[in-house]
């Protein structure tokens, strides 16, 4: 992933209501292997986050100035250092309004992936670890903690500028429940939440179920198509990419590559040509799971009717060919 521009600033703030301060870097970061490794690790950590929202820019205003500065950067009316400095000042101001906000290093990277340009912005924190030194001593080692990334956004610059109707060119990490302490970060970007990944994925899975059901396909063909659908959607989610319905349709049926796509359009499920995928929703669709009274059962959906059977009359679940490890435990228990 070629890096066009990158810089890091630091916001000093504790979650105690005290004013924040800002330390600005005066020049862009130089290209280095460490920087490339940081970007790769950041993107991997970001893509793995299940709690992301998607959206688009608010109309530029005094409350939401970020998109205007970004446009000036693209038009070369602002250099990257000035753009990032203005943005960091705005982020600091918004953080001061959130008592729970914690300062950190603000990283800005503009990079390219194939023909697509992106901007990623992340608030990074350090963690303490240990290392073995060259003279074989154990020493403390401080490093960036990408595993706990919870304040970051990625903007598809190409989509933003080339598709004026798009509502999904920004993604950002959001809180899991309750009042979201990351609201100020969303407002800093100036993002209006558009597509809901959970709802969009649920609708897609419903459309898929309707499609294979109405076609009266043989069980094995349904299983094959379900596996192909799951593999494609999971791969897109892992890569941080949206699901392209037309591309998915081609994956499902090479001989009639538009069959599923046309089905969705004709039935008017309300899905955009590209939608964000939610891995948790997909996993729930692909597995049956239940837990109660000390019993926990989970199995892949395609096993129902084959190795797993449910007798509704007796309210009994029969499992054929259980895992060898489980069988051995049961045999040992009998002895």
């Amino acid at each position: 992933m070629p890096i066009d521009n990158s810089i890091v600033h630091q916001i000093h703030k504790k979650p105690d209501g005290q004013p924040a301060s800002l330390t600005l870097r005066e020049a862009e970061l130089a290209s280095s292997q460490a920087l490339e490794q940081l970007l790769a690790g950041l993107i991997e950590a970001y893509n793995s986050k299940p709690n992301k929202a998607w959206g688009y820019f608010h109309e530029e205003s005094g409350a939401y100035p970020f998109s205007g500065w970004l446009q000036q950067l693209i038009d070369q009316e602002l250099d990257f250092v000035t753009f990032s400095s203005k943005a960091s000042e705005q982020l600091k101001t918004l953080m001061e309004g959130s008592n729970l906000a914690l300062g950190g290093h603000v990283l800005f990277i503009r990079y390219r992936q194939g023909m697509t340009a992106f901007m990623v912005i992340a608030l990074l924190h350090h963690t303490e670890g240990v290392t073995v030194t060259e003279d074989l001593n154990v020493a403390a080692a401080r490093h960036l903690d990408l595993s706990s990334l919870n304040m970051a956004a990625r903007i598809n610059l190409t989509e933003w500028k080339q598709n004026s109707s798009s509502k999904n060119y920004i993604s950002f990490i959001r809180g899991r429940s309750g009042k979201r302490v990351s609201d100020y970060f969303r407002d800093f970007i100036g993002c209006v939440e558009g597509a809901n990944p959970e709802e969009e994925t649920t609708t897609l899975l419903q459309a898929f179920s309707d499609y294979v059901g109405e076609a009266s396909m043989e069980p094995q063909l349904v299983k094959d198509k379900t596996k192909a659908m799951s593999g494609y959607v999971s791969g897109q989610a892992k890569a941080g990419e949206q699901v392209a319905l037309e591309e998915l349709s081609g994956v499902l049926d090479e001989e009639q590559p538009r069959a599923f796509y046309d089905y969705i359009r004709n039935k008017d499920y309300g899905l955009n040509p590209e939608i964000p995928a939610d891995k948790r929703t997909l996993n729930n669709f692909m597995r049956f799971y239940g837990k109660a009274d000390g019993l926990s059962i989970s199995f892949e959906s395609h096993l129902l009717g084959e190795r797993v059977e449910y007798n509704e009359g007796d309210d009994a679940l029969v499992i054929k060919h259980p895992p060898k490890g489980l069988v051995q435990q049961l045999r040992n228990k009998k002895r």
Side-chain angles (χ1 to χ4, degrees):
M1 292 179 285
I3 296 174
D4 294 324
N5 309 96
S6 62
I7 198 168
V8 63
H9 304 294
Q10 185 173 11
I11 297 176
H12 309 271
K13 184 183 182 301
K14 297 181 179 180
D16 56 7
Q18 295 296 314
S21 62
L22 178 63
T23 300
L24 294 173
R25 181 179 169 86
E26 297 181 352
E28 293 185 31
L29 295 168
S31 298
S32 66
Q33 185 176 357
L35 181 60
E36 293 174 2
Q37 291 176 341
L38 173 58
L39 175 59
L42 176 62
I43 296 303
E44 181 179 1
Y46 184 82
N47 288 346
S48 70
K49 293 292 181 180
N51 52 320
K52 288 195 289 291
W54 297 72
Y56 56 98
F57 282 128
H58 272 284
E59 184 175 347
E60 182 195 355
S61 66
Y64 304 110
F66 180 87
S67 62
W69 296 329
L70 186 57
Q71 182 62 62
Q72 288 180 295
L73 173 68
I74 292 174
D75 293 340
Q76 298 184 342
E77 296 173 5
L78 284 180
D79 61 57
F80 194 76
V81 174
T82 304
F83 157 76
S84 64
S85 297
K86 285 178 175 289
S88 298
E89 289 278 4
Q90 173 73 359
L91 178 57
K92 177 184 77 73
T93 299
L94 292 175
M95 288 179 72
E96 288 179 327
S98 174
N99 288 339
L100 296 177
L102 179 66
H105 290 88
V106 191
L107 178 68
F108 296 79
I109 300 182
R110 181 164 60 166
Y111 68 96
R112 285 167 285 124
Q113 191 167 352
M115 300 296 291
T116 305
F118 291 93
M119 172 81 73
V120 63
I121 304 166
L123 185 65
L124 304 177
H125 299 101
H126 282 86
T127 187
E128 298 297 334
V130 294
T131 187
V132 176
T133 63
E134 291 184 359
D135 57 357
L136 303 183
N137 279 318
V138 175
R142 196 164 181 257
H143 61 90
L144 290 172
D145 186 10
L146 298 180
S147 63
S148 62
L149 182 70
N150 57 20
M151 296 286 176
R154 180 167 56 189
I155 304 161
N156 186 324
L157 301 175
T158 302
E159 179 79 5
W160 175 41
K161 301 316 300 178
Q162 295 184 2
N163 185 359
S164 59
S165 63
S166 175
K167 301 293 184 183
N168 296 329
Y169 53 79
I170 302 173
S171 64
F172 65 95
I173 299 173
R174 64 180 176 184
R176 294 182 181 274
S177 61
K179 179 171 175 56
R180 295 176 290 186
V181 297
S182 59
D183 278 357
Y184 73 85
F185 195 83
R186 177 202 62 196
D187 293 340
F188 155 64
I189 298 296
C191 180
V192 181
E193 290 194 41
N196 183 299
E198 295 92 339
E199 293 177 359
E200 298 283 283
T201 305
T202 298
T203 301
L204 173 63
L205 296 175
Q206 183 60 58
F208 175 79
S209 297
D210 295 344
Y211 172 69
V212 297
E214 292 182 19
S216 300
M217 298 179 184
E218 293 294 326
Q220 184 58 49
L221 183 57
V222 172
K223 184 186 299 185
D224 292 342
K225 290 188 180 297
T226 301
K227 184 177 180 180
M229 180 275 296
S230 173
Y232 173 78
V233 176
S234 295
Q236 293 298 100
K238 184 177 181 180
E241 301 288 343
Q242 298 192 82
V243 171
L245 299 186
E246 193 166 358
E247 187 174 42
L248 170 60
S249 183
V251 170
L252 293 179
D253 193 333
E254 294 181 357
E255 295 182 359
Q256 301 181 68
R258 289 187 59 87
F260 181 53
Y261 182 77
D262 290 340
Y263 177 86
I264 291 176
R265 298 273 75 80
N266 294 334
K267 293 288 186 176
D268 193 20
Y269 283 91
L271 293 171
N272 291 318
E274 293 188 350
I275 65 169
D278 181 67
K279 289 187 292 186
R280 185 180 293 112
T281 303
L282 178 65
N283 290 340
N284 290 339
F285 175 79
M286 298 300 295
R287 299 189 69 85
F288 290 105
Y289 172 79
K291 181 179 181 181
D293 302 325
L295 179 67
S296 177
I297 298 175
S298 173
F299 58 91
E300 295 180 7
S301 59
H302 69 85
L303 295 178
L304 187 64
E306 294 186 358
R307 291 175 57 191
V308 182
E309 294 181 0
Y310 177 60
N311 187 318
E312 189 171 359
D314 296 335
D315 192 25
L317 193 69
V318 178
I319 301 176
K320 302 176 182 178
H321 311 297
K324 293 181 179 179
L326 175 60
V327 171
Q328 188 61 49
Q329 292 178 60
L330 296 174
R331 287 174 176 169
N332 293 339
K333 189 67 177 179
K334 282 187 174 183
R335 294 173 183 173

